[in-house]
DNA sequence: CCCAAAATCACCCAAAAGTATGAAGCCTGA
DNA sequence: TCAGGCTTCATACTTTTGGGTGATTTTGGG
């Protein structure tokens, strides 16, 4: 209840909100004039509530939707791999590193597998990230795959 | 939700409703003088609006969350995805996280997209790694794909 | 031979990711 | 009602990654 309860309070809030809405609606229908507002003001409030609920639903669905349109990437690129590599300026060694991160290897493992130092792998990776415009290895993998550089 | 929840949520709802009703009634009686002023009515309407906006957002996310987990694309795994998931003990939420790391997102981004804390994402990931026998996110992606859990 | 690109490595620092442990609230099914 | 799985979150700690800079070697053409 004190400070770090952030998990579920808003669920309750939501329930309260829904309940409030139902309550107000039923109050309207039953003509129990408990509230001291005039008729027009009551309806005004209800309209506002419904309106905002609708807007909220729309916003919520909007906000949480994943970009489903990103599926039709480049499955059959017209350009051959070599050309894409050249275009991006990715060198053969960098591609090797790229392939290995896609296999789930750590930098250390890649270094050992290529017989180079960890620092070298990092350097290659930095260059790859710059050329693919990625911030993370997972992102680089994703981009490389959609470019057809990786299976 | 998977259709019917037998009968618990509406009980809470009813309870909240009753409580709220009593609360509102007492408010009416004790603060009649305030409510006669136009200013407090405005305030009340604003609260209603915010409340319903919150409810709407919540509902929208809720309705949008379930379809997110059920993916229509089933390549051709020998076992249905559900069965593999059950076998490994991977929960729906964990799968959601798994899907997002495969999209190249950072833990922080996933946390924001799922409206949970960073710590929660890490916990889910730890569990995923254990269940997939992976040490790294890239490895988990790899394994999940070869199992048909991811496209 | 000389140059330039590629490959290699080192440090340092910051940020992100991963590990371990404990715990609370919710939901479901027995 | 009670146990157990799921989800959530926290704290503390270690490891891995990523970013920036600079430097040395290799190598292949011109």
């Amino acid at each position: 209840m004190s400070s770090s309860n952030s998990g579920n309070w808003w669920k309750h809030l939501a329930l309260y909100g829904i309940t409030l809405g139902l309550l107000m609606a039923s109050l309207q229908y039953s003509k129990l004039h408990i509230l001291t507002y005039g008729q027009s003001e009551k309806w005004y409030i209800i309209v506002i509530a419904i309106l905002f609920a609708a807007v909220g639903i729309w916003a919520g669905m909007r906000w949480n939707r994943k970009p489903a349109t990103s599926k039709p990437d480049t499955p059959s690129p017209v350009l051959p791999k070599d050309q894409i590599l050249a275009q991006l300026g990715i060198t053969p060694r960098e591609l090797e590193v790229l392939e290995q991160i896609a296999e789930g290897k750590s930098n250390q493992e890649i270094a050992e597998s290529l017989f180079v130092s960890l620092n070298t792998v990092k350097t290659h990776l930095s260059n790859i990230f710059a050329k693919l415009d990625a911030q993370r290895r997972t992102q680089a993998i994703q981009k490389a795959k959609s470019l057809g550089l990786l299976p």
Side-chain angles (χ1 to χ4, degrees), chain A:
Chain A
M1 249 17 117
S2 17
S3 50
S4 60
N5 195 2
S6 51
N8 286 80
W9 63 270
W10 55 285
K11 267 190 200 171
H12 292 262
L13 182 71
L15 278 175
Y16 278 123
I18 292 174
T19 312
L20 184 59
L22 294 175
L23 215 71
M24 288 180 65
S26 50
L27 271 175
Q28 281 311 120
Y29 275 108
S30 61
K31 314 226 165 164
L32 286 176
H33 295 170
I34 299 174
L35 302 180
T36 55
Y37 312 129
Q39 276 290 350
S40 61
E41 283 158 347
K42 285 185 197 170
W43 281 111
Y44 182 55
I45 290 177
I46 286 178
V47 167
I48 292 286
I50 290 174
L51 218 71
F52 271 77
V55 169
I57 288 176
W58 174 79
M61 291 179 66
R62 213 4 124 72
W63 197 239
N64 205 21
R65 176 156 46 211
K66 58 170 63 180
T69 57
S70 63
K71 268 300 138 197
D73 45 7
T74 0
S76 56
V78 193
L79 299 179
K81 209 169 91 175
D82 297 350
Q83 214 167 110
I84 304 175
L85 288 172
Q87 205 130 28
L88 295 172
I90 294 179
T91 69
R93 202 57 162 171
E94 284 164 0
L95 182 59
E96 272 186 286
V97 174
L98 191 51
E99 284 163 356
Q100 301 217 14
I101 67 172
E103 291 167 12
K105 293 191 183 177
S106 73
N107 290 351
Q108 184 61 56
E109 287 171 338
I110 297 173
E112 282 159 12
S113 131
L114 294 181
F115 300 100
V116 298
S117 83
L118 176 60
N119 285 313
T120 301
V121 174
K122 285 187 180 182
T123 303
H124 285 320
L125 271 179
S126 277
N127 294 332
I128 292 172
F129 292 157
K131 289 167 184 173
L132 284 179
D133 190 31
Q135 279 68 52
R136 287 169 287 287
R137 62 207 333 196
T138 46
Q139 219 174 36
I141 295 170
Q142 182 70 10
K143 295 208 177 190
K145 290 201 175 183
S146 66
L147 284 172
L149 299 181
L150 295 176

